[in-house]
Amino acid sequence: MPSVSAAGGPLVLVTGANGYIGTWLIQGLLEKGYTVRGTVRSEEKGKPLTEYFDSTPYGSNLELPGAFDEAVKGVDAIEHVASPTVFLRRPDDPPDALIVPAVEGTLGILRSAQKFGSKVKRIVLTSSIVALLPIFTAADAESGVTVPLDESGWADAYVDDVRKRGNAAGLLAKYCASKALAEKAAWEFYEKCKSEVPWDLVALNPATSPLLDFQDGLTSSLQYWLHHACKAQPDDVLCDTMGFVDVHDVVAAHVAALEKEEAGGERIILCKRTMTWQQHRNEMYTIRPDLYDGASGVLPSGNPGITPGALQYTYNTTKAARILGIVYTDSGDTLGNTMEYFETRGFFGGGAGGNVNVNGNGEVGGVM
């Protein structure tokens, strides 16, 4: 299967270049010697990106063109990172507010690559770990059984739930359905055209990626983490299972997915650890006890005495190690850097729960 090497400075297209993963990925590719072409939704959204990279040694190796059809011409590989926001304005907004742009955005880049990407050797799709997540019920939690999840799974239960309940489906269900349907659409498209195109497809399924951002604003992944890790939550939320991964490891995986021939045609989970949100808070407390109840009172410790029982699920991450050679960053380093980032920017403050702005309605709409 085809792959790409950094030798000779090949041109890589990164969609969603001004997003959380996109911005970090561009830096990682430039540092490795690639030339990068990025797409953004508007010229205005691209300004902070060009200003940042113009201040680095890599500014001349970054382009920001317009539509996908033009953007794919002459590129050697594509990293499709762009994704619609996971925050819906109202809980009863239609599922298509997420599903349609997710699916059509993914198919759009593949169609353009099919028509105009004569040099493209590989397309790496940034999916999500929730694209393979089943629905867990209260009965599942009481059973004490931990479900092992791997790349064979799909969030079909969330897709069915959204189809049945429509606008009344939860925000998480709509988000999981959008991720699963977008990735499935990509694989179905590829299977139909793979004998006619010079490229193959890789899907990466990362868990939540806390850690710093290039912009001062909060991306959806960061807002989700802040809401669950740094605001008061009931015990049932604190006992929920979550997986997370350092954004630097996500970037390393995206670069390796271009370069490793055997990655072609694979879905690959990216996750450092799986734990409950309370266990997550306990580790944060160990790192920075001065930020918690009884000290500064900046962050709520949750319920440290809670007995969470078994994790709802764990992820099999052997494929990322075997194919991509990923060695994950220590979780303590990730959390320590994350906390320092938010503290220095004033997001921790204003009493217990922190000064966290989720969105206009105080709602959080998804995970990664």
Side-chain angles (χ1 to χ4, degrees):
M1 289 184 174
S3 59
V4 181
S5 168
L11 180 58
V12 179
L13 174 66
V14 177
T15 70
N18 63 323
Y20 179 46
I21 293 177
T23 309
W24 279 104
L25 177 56
I26 287 173
Q27 177 155 307
L29 289 167
L30 292 172
E31 289 175 346
K32 285 273 291 189
Y34 289 93
T35 300
V36 177
R37 176 180 294 166
T39 66
V40 294
R41 291 182 182 178
S42 67
E43 183 178 350
E44 181 181 354
K45 289 184 178 294
K47 285 182 180 178
L49 195 68
T50 55
E51 290 172 358
Y52 174 80
F53 283 107
D54 281 347
S55 67
T56 73
Y58 314 111
S60 61
N61 289 332
L62 174 65
E63 309 171 15
L64 292 178
F68 284 162
D69 285 356
E70 290 299 317
V72 302
K73 294 178 180 178
V75 304
D76 298 284
I78 298 171
E79 298 267 15
H80 181 53
V81 183
S83 180
T85 178
V86 304
F87 293 101
L88 299 179
R89 277 300 194 188
R90 299 178 303 275
D92 61 349
D93 274 350
D96 282 352
L98 280 177
I99 292 172
V100 170
V103 173
E104 288 304 312
T106 298
L107 290 178
I109 192 67
L110 296 180
R111 291 180 185 126
S112 294
Q114 180 188 31
K115 294 177 182 178
F116 303 105
S118 59
K119 286 188 62 181
V120 177
K121 299 179 181 67
R122 175 158 292 172
I123 298 177
V124 179
L125 168 67
T126 307
S127 182
S128 170
I129 212 161
V130 304
L132 52 86
L133 193 66
I135 292 177
F136 290 95
T137 65
D140 294 324
E142 293 172 1
S143 71
V145 176
T146 299
V147 178
L149 301 176
D150 60 25
E151 287 88 352
S152 66
W154 289 96
D156 291 335
Y158 281 110
V159 174
D160 291 341
D161 181 56
V162 167
R163 285 173 176 163
K164 291 176 183 176
R165 298 173 61 202
N167 296 7
L171 296 177
L172 176 62
K174 294 169 185 175
Y175 179 62
C176 292
S178 74
K179 288 296 186 181
L181 291 171
E183 189 188 339
K184 280 193 172 186
W187 286 116
E188 290 169 2
F189 184 95
Y190 173 66
E191 287 300 318
K192 290 178 181 178
C193 74
K194 65 181 180 180
S195 62
E196 309 166 4
V197 296
W199 44 266
D200 61 12
L201 181 67
V202 182
L204 299 181
N205 300 80
T208 298
S209 295
L211 197 62
L212 58 163
D213 197 356
F214 276 105
Q215 298 95 7
D216 288 332
L218 293 183
T219 62
S220 55
S221 186
L222 295 174
Q223 288 194 39
Y224 178 80
W225 180 83
L226 274 169
H227 183 75
H228 284 75
C230 304
K231 287 180 68 72
Q233 298 291 349
D235 285 357
D236 59 338
V237 173
L238 296 174
C239 289
D240 279 347
T241 302
M242 56 83 67
F244 79 96
V245 61
D246 194 297
V247 70
H248 295 100
D249 300 334
V250 175
V251 168
H254 277 77
V255 176
L258 293 179
E259 299 175 345
K260 302 288 187 179
E261 184 177 344
E262 58 270 35
E266 299 286 352
R267 300 178 84 197
I268 303 176
I269 289 172
L270 304 175
C271 183
K272 162 62 179 177
R273 286 185 64 185
T274 310
M275 63 181 80
T276 67
W277 280 108
Q278 183 59 56
Q279 290 170 333
H280 197 76
R281 291 182 188 225
N282 293 348
E283 187 160 329
M284 291 168 63
Y285 177 87
T286 300
I287 296 168
R288 289 293 306 275
D290 56 302
L291 292 177
Y292 281 86
D293 306 339
S296 66
V298 171
L299 296 178
S301 56
N303 186 353
I306 196 172
T307 303
L311 293 172
Q312 294 168 315
Y313 53 87
T314 57
Y315 294 110
N316 184 335
T317 61
T318 57
K319 189 183 283 190
R322 174 172 53 86
I323 295 178
L324 302 181
I326 297 301
V327 178
Y328 289 107
T329 302
D330 181 85
S331 59
D333 291 340
T334 301
L335 290 178
N337 290 335
T338 303
M339 296 172 79
E340 181 181 359
Y341 171 83
F342 286 115
E343 181 186 24
T344 59
R345 283 157 179 79
F347 285 103
F348 294 163
N355 185 19
V356 179
N357 180 22
V358 180
N359 69 12
N361 296 317
E363 300 158 358
V364 170
V367 296
M368 188 184 221

